[in-house]
């Protein structure tokens, strides 16, 4: 039993399936030197008392106070790190105009490494404080600043998957913000991949390079082809935007006479380690292709309300066996919190199911069976994110990483409305999901190390 470096005791919530949340009441979580959950022990297990006897009172024994609970750390599948500098602003115009008017100018400023450092340090700390233990990031076109983001994740203890963004088409991107040319874009990407792989050797929680064509409209065929080849050569993750809005979806149809999914597939950009943001306009064949190739959807419900011209039928795609996780899409989504996105995912799905135009009769208003439950949205933010990235994260079970948030429901400044000492734990879970604020997240751990502790 001495092989465990730390033992945690407390009640935890973790997805058992996409619909069911398992309540691990008063469990012991035994963590090994690699920061993995080596064993979970229920109170009625024969080892429980032995473990308590061995570890209780020692420095490496941690137990939760009354009213505190463990949740898995969240996995954010879609963050534009530079856009943190404009979060909450500029949400009043359509996607194409938003990119050109606000977003490309702010991203262009990340050629300045000092500015990049200031924004990226603040963002990574903010995400950790919001319970996000793993993030899949778009940085900018700049190789150096993108590497800086990976270094900041490594230092602050977040599991970061980082992409240097490729946008090389001079017809589609402004002169002040694009890759110099296709060859440079590919050479910079390859150097970036190698640099992040080198950094990963000394990073316990992992840091990963991601091949990142911004989206089809910003890339030439040569870049898309070359990026597919680089992803295969180095076995990297891949990310892009896919079938997001009427305009973007229509542009790809015009250029390739097919939808984004099949176009990306032609360039070798789908696969088990690929995550495509949004995907609102996937048709049945696109969704089947995602399921067959193991490609995941990064669902960004807040952002979609502004830019996607639609609500994605998440329940339908999930039932086809497509991997799905949740993304904040900062700053198309204004909030860095996946709690906020969990709530929006449920609400948007309910509005899709019922419909929104009150002048229509009820039976014509919505899309049947479109709703997802809070349990399912929690799954997307945790286990679904882990499956999407093909990493052992997002569940509090053996052979998964010890990535957790410690939630305090009794904090005097942000107390949850729990008035019964014996309240049903599934009700407490729902109150946590709907009502937690950053103040309630007292500690955050990644791969067995504490990476955030909230001051009073
Ligand atoms: N499509 C291409 N770039 C972006 C971006 O930065 N945000 C969103 N939401 N969609 C995009
Ligand atoms: Fe995005």
């Amino acid at each position: 039993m001495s092989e465990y470096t730390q033992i945690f005791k407390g009640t935890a919530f973790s997805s058992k399936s996409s619909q069911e949340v398992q309540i691990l009441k008063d469990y012991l979580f035994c963590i090994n030197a690699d920061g993995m959950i080596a064993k979970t022990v229920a109170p009625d297990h024969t080892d429980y008392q032995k473990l308590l006897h061995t570890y209780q009172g020692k420095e490496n024994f941690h137990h939760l106070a009354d009213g505190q609970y463990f949740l898995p750390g969240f996995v954010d599948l879609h963050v534009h790190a530079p856009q943190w500098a404009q979060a909450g602003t500029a949400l009043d115009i359509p996607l194409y105009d938003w990119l050109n008017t606000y977003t490309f100018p702010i991203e262009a400023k990340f050629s300045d490494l000092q500015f990049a450092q200031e924004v990226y340090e603040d963002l990574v700390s903010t995400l950790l404080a919001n319970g996000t233990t793993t993030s899949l990031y778009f940085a900018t076109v700049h190789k150096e600043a993108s590497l800086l983001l990976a270094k900041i994740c490594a230092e602050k203890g977040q599991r970061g998957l980082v992409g240097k963004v490729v946008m090389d088409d001079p017809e589609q991107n402004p002169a002040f913000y694009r890759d110099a040319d296709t060859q440079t874009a590919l050479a910079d990407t390859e150097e970036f991949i190698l640099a992040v792989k080198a950094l990963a050797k000394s990073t316990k929680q992992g840091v990963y390079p991601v091949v990142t064509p911004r989206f089809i409209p910003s890339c030439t065929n040569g870049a898309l082809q070359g990026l597919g080849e680089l992803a295969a050569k180095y076995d990297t993750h891949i990310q892009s935007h896919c079938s997001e809005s009427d305009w973007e979806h229509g542009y790809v149809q015009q250029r390739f006479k097919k939808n984004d999914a099949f176009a990306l597939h032609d360039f070798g950009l789908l696969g088990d380690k690929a995550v495509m943001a949004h995907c609102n306009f996937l048709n049945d064949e696109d969704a089947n292709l995602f399921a067959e190739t193991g490609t995941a959807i990064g669902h960004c419900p807040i952002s979609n309300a502004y830019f996607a011209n639609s609500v994605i039928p998440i329940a339908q795609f999930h039932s086809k066996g497509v991997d799905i996780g949740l993304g904040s899409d900062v700053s198309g989504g204004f909030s860095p919190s996946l709690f906020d996105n969990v709530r929006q995912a449920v609400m948007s799905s309910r509005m899709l199911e019922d419909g929104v135009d009150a002048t229509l009769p009820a039976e014509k208003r919505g899309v049947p069976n479109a709703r997802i439950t809070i349990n399912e949205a929690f799954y997307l933010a945790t286990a679904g994110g882990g499956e999407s990235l093909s990493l052992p994260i997002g569940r509090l079970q053996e052979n998964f990483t010890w990535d957790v948030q410690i939630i305090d429901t009794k904090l005097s400044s942000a107390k949850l409305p729990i008035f019964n000492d014996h309240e049903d734990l599934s009700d407490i879970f729902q109150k946590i999901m709907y009502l937690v604020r950053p103040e309630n997240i007292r500690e955050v751990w990644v791969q067995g190390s504490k990476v955030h502790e909230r001051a009073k």
Side-chain angles (χ1 to χ4, degrees):
M1 272 191 244
S2 54
E3 72 266 35
Y4 307 131
T5 52
Q6 296 178 98
I7 307 275
F8 292 80
K9 176 172 176 283
T11 297
F13 302 99
S14 180
S15 286
K16 194 171 178 174
S17 68
S18 63
Q19 306 291 342
E20 265 179 298
V21 173
Q22 190 181 9
I23 299 169
L24 304 147
K25 188 169 187 305
D26 291 328
Y27 264 56
L28 297 179
F29 296 90
C30 307
I31 314 304
N32 68 22
D34 296 327
M36 304 296 289
I37 303 173
K39 208 166 167 45
T40 65
V41 184
D44 58 3
H45 192 280
T46 47
D47 287 349
Y48 195 83
Q49 290 305 328
K50 275 190 263 176
L51 280 161
L52 276 184
H53 185 76
T54 310
Y55 287 97
Q56 212 162 16
K58 300 217 166 106
E59 211 176 290
N60 59 356
F61 181 85
H62 315 264
H63 72 277
L64 294 188
D66 193 31
Q68 295 189 338
Y69 300 90
F70 293 118
L71 288 185
F74 287 147
V75 180
D76 190 334
L77 288 187
H78 192 55
V79 186
H80 292 271
Q83 296 174 23
W84 178 232
Q86 66 172 12
T89 68
L91 292 167
D92 50 352
I93 52 176
L95 180 62
Y96 179 86
D97 304 315
W98 175 80
L99 287 170
N100 287 288
T101 311
Y102 299 115
T103 303
F104 294 160
I106 194 98
E107 291 193 14
K109 290 190 183 168
F110 285 72
S111 56
D112 174 350
L113 286 174
Q114 229 174 332
F115 181 58
Q117 174 139 4
E118 188 184 354
V119 176
Y120 288 165
E121 285 196 345
D122 190 64
L123 173 64
V124 175
S125 297
T126 301
L127 289 170
L128 287 171
N130 279 278
T132 297
T133 47
T134 299
S135 288
L136 175 55
Y137 290 107
F138 278 59
T140 59
V141 300
H142 315 103
K143 184 183 60 181
E144 294 299 331
S146 302
L147 185 57
L148 179 62
L149 174 59
K151 285 182 181 157
I152 289 169
C153 292
E155 277 161 23
K156 289 191 177 282
Q158 192 188 41
R159 187 174 301 95
L161 298 93
V162 181
K164 176 222 129 29
V165 176
V166 170
M167 30 199 301
D168 70 317
D169 189 344
E171 305 268 300
Q172 294 296 323
N173 303 295
F176 67 82
Y177 188 54
R178 65 182 181 226
D179 292 290
D181 53 46
T182 308
Q183 263 193 323
T184 310
L186 295 174
D188 281 358
T189 299
E190 187 159 21
E191 281 173 41
F192 175 76
I193 291 169
L194 292 169
V196 176
K197 278 182 175 282
L199 175 65
K201 290 191 181 133
S202 58
T203 306
K204 186 183 179 193
Q205 77 277 13
V207 62
Y208 303 83
V210 185
V211 160
T212 307
R214 183 176 201 115
F215 60 164
I216 288 174
S218 63
C219 295
T220 60
N221 290 7
L224 294 166
Q225 183 70 34
L227 289 175
E229 286 163 12
L230 283 175
K233 179 174 176 187
Y234 293 105
D235 187 26
T236 68
H237 289 81
I238 302 169
Q239 62 182 344
S240 193
H241 297 84
C242 177
S243 294
E244 177 180 4
S245 68
D246 285 318
W247 160 72
E248 186 273 335
H249 178 63
Y251 169 93
V252 175
Q253 260 294 337
Q254 250 194 342
R255 177 163 149 194
F256 290 117
K257 308 288 175 269
K258 55 181 81 167
N259 285 353
D260 290 45
F262 280 86
L264 290 162
H265 189 48
D266 289 347
F267 291 114
L269 292 166
L270 298 188
D272 230 11
K273 289 165 80 174
V275 177
M276 295 297 146
H278 308 296
C279 301
N280 286 54
F281 292 92
L282 295 193
N283 64 21
D284 275 352
E285 287 100 70
D286 298 335
N288 290 340
L289 181 63
F290 267 48
E292 279 160 28
T293 55
T295 305
I297 296 173
H299 173 36
C300 307
I302 295 181
S303 168
N304 286 355
Y306 293 90
F307 293 126
N309 312 119
S310 60
V311 175
I312 180 175
I314 277 296
Q316 187 194 324
F317 294 152
H318 224 191
S319 70
K320 278 181 174 288
V322 178
D323 286 346
I324 307 177
L326 218 53
S328 62
D329 196 20
V330 160
S331 69
F334 55 78
S335 173
S337 162
L338 280 195
F339 280 103
D340 287 345
N341 279 280
V342 160
R343 295 158 194 164
Q344 186 67 50
V346 174
M347 291 190 286
S348 293
S349 77
R350 296 293 289 260
M351 293 173 88
L352 180 62
E353 182 167 303
D354 281 348
V356 295
D357 183 352
T359 64
L360 293 175
E363 64 279 7
K364 293 220 170 115
R365 219 178 282 143
V367 176
N369 306 316
R371 68 170 64 184
I372 63 168
T373 61
I374 192 73
N375 285 5
E376 211 166 347
F378 169 70
Y379 178 89
L380 299 180
T382 55
E387 282 161 15
S388 297
L389 294 172
S390 304
L391 293 173
I393 59 175
R395 295 175 190 265
L396 300 183
Q397 67 185 46
E398 286 167 20
N399 300 319
F400 279 67
T401 59
W402 183 246
D403 293 0
V404 295
Q405 13 180 353
I406 296 178
I407 306 295
D408 190 351
T409 61
K410 293 197 167 184
L411 192 74
S412 60
S413 59
K415 201 177 76 56
L416 265 52
I418 298 166
F419 302 102
N420 172 355
D421 285 344
H422 305 288
E423 180 135 348
D424 191 84
L425 284 167
S426 71
D427 286 343
I428 290 182
F429 170 74
Q430 293 171 63
K431 287 178 178 175
I432 286 173
M433 291 317 296
Y434 277 115
L435 295 170
V436 152
R437 305 206 303 249
E439 300 93 294
N440 298 104
I441 306 171
R442 303 312 298 173
E443 292 181 14
V444 178
W445 293 66
V446 177
Q447 201 94 32
S449 297
K450 195 196 291 182
V451 295
H452 168 75
E453 182 162 12
R454 195 162 181 102
K456 279 294 159 201

